[in-house]
Amino acid sequence: MLEQALVALAAAGGAAVVQAAGTDAWGGLRRAFARWFGRGDAQREQAALDNLDSTASELETADEDARRDQAVMWRTRIADRLEDLSGDEQALAAAQLDALVNGRSSQGSATAGQDGVAISGDFGGVHADRGSIAAVTIHGGAHIGPPPDPDPSQG
């Protein structure tokens, strides 16, 4: 079962899908969500695109109840996807989803390895040990693997 913060993030994601469908923002959000769901798997990404397209079609003529149902459906899909991920992958996916939903920009990087997730950038830094969650917005590159060696010149 997901923590309350991740459930809230999934709900925000579901709302974002419904709000963006049919707007100028739809194309970019559609692609970003498909990549998020795919996580490097082309088949999963295509399935997400198909589901997003189906949602957009249904929302063209939807009343408020249907829009709410679509938001709940997407909240559930997002929560299920988060729940399928291991702790470190989940933390990274949550940070990426937060960035996608909130459209914030920050230069930074993230690493996920055996010892947890480390996220750094203009905002300072966050580290989540095994089983805990670090959530920040990541725009730019993300590295999955052992944390990089510290730069000895930094002191």
Side-chain angles (χ1 to χ4, degrees), residues 21-112:
T23 70
D24 291 342
W26 178 245
L29 186 110
R30 174 185 170 271
R31 285 187 300 279
F33 261 97
R35 281 191 306 273
W36 185 85
F37 272 100
R39 306 205 64 73
D41 181 303
Q43 212 170 7
R44 251 193 328 242
E45 187 171 328
Q46 185 57 53
L49 285 170
D50 294 344
N51 288 329
L52 288 159
D53 290 343
S54 175
T55 291
S57 293
E58 289 182 32
L59 290 174
E60 286 177 8
T61 59
D63 62 12
E64 197 55 39
D65 288 337
R67 294 179 74 74
R68 191 176 13 256
D69 291 346
Q70 284 290 325
V72 169
M73 181 189 67
W74 279 102
R75 178 196 67 203
T76 302
R77 283 182 175 157
I78 293 166
D80 288 349
R81 184 69 183 119
L82 286 168
E83 204 162 32
D84 287 343
L85 300 172
S86 71
D88 293 343
E89 292 173 317
Q90 188 181 74
L92 186 57
Q96 292 167 336
L97 180 61
D98 181 61
L100 193 161
V101 168
N102 293 304
R104 292 188 305 256
S105 178
S106 178
Q107 295 299 314
S109 63
T111 59

Side-chain angles (χ1 to χ4, degrees), residues 8-25:
L9 184 57
V17 168
V18 170
Q19 289 171 0
T23 70
D24 291 342

